[in-house]
Amino acid sequence: MTRSARTDPARAPCSLAPVSLAASADRSVAAGLRARDELRTVRLLFDAELADGSLAPAALDAWAVRRAARARPVPRPRLRLAQDVARKLGRLDWERAVAQPLGQARRAVLGAAAAAPPRFLVRVDEFPHYQAWDEPERFGGERFARFHELMGAARVPYLIAVTPRLSRAPLSPAETRSRALDAGELAQLAELAAAADVTVALHGRDHRTRFANPRQHSELCGLTPADAAALLDDALAQLAAHGVEPEIFVPPYNRFDAAHLELLAERFAVVCGGPESIGTIGFRRSPVWFHDAVHLPGYAPLYGHAREVLPAAERALAARDGLWTPIVLHWGW
């Protein structure tokens, strides 16, 4: 089931025809796709000003803007490793590697008018909690209901990453047991799907890792594109049976292979990620158009426990850079 089939059946199939950059023998096609991604990224960066007519598209042809929105292919493994090391050293975090260049681009075009509150996008992983079967008292529905109540009382809209199945011992690839959501979980899912301030995203099928090594945890890595597509379509079909059709994907453990980019873009308008994504597809600023979908990774210090995220969120409020600013929380933390 493709994204276009679920959202706009009348859309011309050639308008966003997926092309694999890695496999394309025509470099001009790859360059054209990257140029289109760059243009779309610029539009994300200045969408408010373009929408209200206060900014003419011609004003966006600035060096700082082109640099900030530059689209790059998936880097080679050695460079991805170097980027991941830089991330661990704090050199590729949100404030330094994302907000700073994107903020400079906005100021280069808008001057003082660039000052605006950040637009926080709060992502919450995950429902049901992947350990709810093993530790229901700590991670079960009652605890999640309390979290949801707190978010509602604070009037914080958020995205919740959902799996249609729950695994036993999900961190063990040797374990195979999983179950469908029970009546209580389905009732909570229906409440979330109906809530005006909650957006439901797909978080894989059952959150079971295929690898025991914590540095390799993933539900998708190592699967062929065909097998990954089958897993995602099964998960989407299970949620659709309950009236839920997500347009956003949150990868379990934030990992998927570069070979999955095309099939993800076919099914989702937005593909999230995180620090772990650097090792598989490289570092990306956020949000950025990449391979016909919006890629929205979250990075420290806006990714972590709430007590760690709060000071960074306060700095973003003080900076008034007007950026889309993803915050990633795990309610179980």
Side-chain angles (χ1 to χ4, degrees), residues 208-224:
R208 180 172 304 287
T209 180
R210 302 185 65 247
F211 306 98
N213 186 339
R215 296 182 180 180
Q216 297 177 312
H217 281 169
S218 176
E219 189 177 1
L220 293 177
C221 286
L223 291 177
T224 66

Side-chain angles (χ1 to χ4, degrees), residues 37-47 68-71 94 97-99 102 106 119-121 269-273 283-290 293-299 321-327:
D37 283 346
E38 289 174 2
L39 178 60
R40 290 168 163 179
T41 297
V42 170
R43 288 173 176 169
L44 280 177
L45 188 58
F46 295 95
D47 70 299
R70 186 175 300 163
W94 169 263
V98 181
L102 295 185
R106 282 182 53 81
R119 293 181 285 177
F120 291 123
L121 300 169
V270 179
V271 178
C272 297
F283 175 79
R284 308 277 156 187
R285 293 192 177 122
S286 183
V288 59
W289 272 89
F290 186 52
V294 174
H295 186 45
L296 190 68
Y299 301 114
D321 53 22
L323 296 175
W324 293 109
T325 304
I327 290 175

Side-chain angles (χ1 to χ4, degrees), residues 66-233:
R66 294 196 302 270
R67 181 186 180 192
R70 186 175 300 163
R72 303 179 186 274
V74 174
R76 295 182 181 276
R78 183 176 297 180
L79 179 54
R80 297 201 303 268
L81 177 60
Q83 289 178 337
D84 197 38
V85 171
R87 188 266 306 176
K88 292 176 181 177
L89 294 175
R91 297 172 186 166
L92 284 182
D93 66 359
W94 169 263
E95 293 170 319
R96 184 183 305 187
V98 181
Q100 182 175 327
L102 295 185
Q104 288 175 346
R106 282 182 53 81
R107 290 189 294 273
V109 173
L110 299 171
R119 293 181 285 177
F120 291 123
L121 300 169
V122 181
R123 165 188 146 194
V124 177
D125 298 354
E126 62 264 341
F127 178 82
H129 194 280
Y130 76 111
Q131 292 177 298
W133 191 344
D134 300 320
E135 299 185 60
E137 292 186 0
R138 182 180 179 188
F139 297 118
E142 290 186 9
R143 295 297 295 271
F144 177 78
R146 176 57 178 156
F147 171 85
H148 178 60
E149 178 185 346
L150 288 170
M151 296 292 275
R155 293 182 294 178
V156 178
Y158 70 97
L159 178 144
I160 184 68
V162 170
T163 58
R165 300 188 65 81
L166 190 61
S167 289
R168 188 80 176 192
L171 298 180
S172 171
E175 176 62 80
T176 60
R177 287 175 291 173
S178 71
R179 63 165 176 81
L181 305 189
D182 62 26
E185 292 159 348
L186 288 175
Q188 285 184 306
L189 176 60
E191 179 183 354
L192 292 170
D197 56 355
V198 177
T199 299
V200 174
L202 182 69
H203 197 36
R205 182 169 58 190
D206 57 19
H207 212 286
R208 180 172 304 287
T209 180
R210 302 185 65 247
F211 306 98
N213 186 339
R215 296 182 180 180
Q216 297 177 312
H217 281 169
S218 176
E219 189 177 1
L220 293 177
C221 286
L223 291 177
T224 66
D227 288 342
L231 184 151
L232 293 171
D233 287 344

